[in-house]
């Protein structure tokens, strides 16, 4: 009988942590969910050691991936790709479109994300090895989660 009561009390407290979400991710997940993404492809060119990562918007909000003073905050999606290579972590944001990395959305002359966003490294970026990547996206008051999971930014092998 004592085991049954203990089990009931554990389930009672666990239910409070999980909230009413069908996914079991909890109340915070429901409040912050801005959409889902998936990793469409991770390509490492063997000849040039250039890394290319394509991220797909799955049932999520679309918006601009570069800040623009004329836009409302609600129209901007903040994106970051982290790459673990050579014992270091490098972060590339949507703003990083200089001579090294290219970050391009599929609409708005590459400045916005509707279906996909592509990160392309310079040649030789992975000369000393690229091990893993992690993508993060957030929107005005929400977070994009990976492919219907409770995780916003898991690591993926290159």
């Amino acid at each position: 009988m004592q085991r049954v009561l203990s089990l009931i009390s554990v389930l009672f407290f666990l239910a409070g942590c999980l909230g009413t979400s069908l996914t079991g991710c909890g109340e915070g997940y429901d409040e912050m969910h801005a959409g889902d993404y998936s990793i469409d492809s991770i390509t490492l060119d063997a000849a040039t050691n250039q890394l290319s990562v394509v991220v797909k918007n799955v049932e999520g909000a679309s918006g601009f991936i570069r800040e623009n003073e004329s836009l409302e905050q609600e129209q901007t999606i903040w994106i970051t790709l982290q790459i673990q290579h050579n014992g270091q972590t490098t972060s590339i944001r949507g703003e990083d479109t200089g001579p090294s990395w290219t970050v391009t959305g599929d609409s708005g002359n590459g400045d916005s994300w509707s279906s996909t966003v592509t990160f392309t490294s310079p040649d030789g970026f992975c000369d000393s090895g690229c091990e893993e990547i992690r993508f993060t996206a957030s929107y005005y008051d929400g977070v994009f989660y990976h492919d219907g999971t409770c995780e916003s930014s898991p690591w993926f092998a290159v």
Side-chain angles (χ1 to χ4, degrees), residues 17-87:
C17 294
L18 294 178
T20 59
S21 172
L22 295 175
T23 61
C25 296
E27 192 173 314
Y29 174 89
D30 292 336
E31 291 175 5
M32 296 297 295
H33 189 259
D36 293 314
Y37 72 89
S38 64
I39 303 298
D40 199 41
S41 66
I42 302 171
T43 308
L44 181 59
D45 186 302
T48 64
N49 280 327
Q50 181 184 60
L51 178 65
S52 179
V53 178
V54 179
V55 181
K56 185 174 183 177
N57 185 356
V58 181
E59 297 180 21
S62 60
F64 288 86
I65 58 173
R66 296 188 222 307
E67 298 247 5
N68 185 329
E69 289 182 19
S70 66
L71 298 175
E72 296 290 325
Q73 185 177 14
E74 297 89 15
Q75 296 172 306
T76 303
I77 298 173
W78 295 279
I79 59 173
T80 303
L81 181 70
Q82 291 183 312
I83 306 98
Q84 287 201 0
H85 65 105
N86 196 25

Side-chain angles (χ1 to χ4, degrees), residues 50-53 65-66 81 92-105 110 117-122:
Q50 181 184 60
L51 178 65
S52 179
V53 178
I65 58 173
R66 296 188 222 307
L81 181 70
I92 306 300
R93 297 183 338 260
E95 297 289 320
D96 295 331
T97 59
S100 59
W101 279 80
T102 302
V103 182
T104 309
V117 64
T118 303
F119 293 83
T120 306
S121 78

Side-chain angles (χ1 to χ4, degrees), residues 11 19 33 92 112 149:
L11 290 175
H33 189 259
I92 306 300
S112 61
T149 67

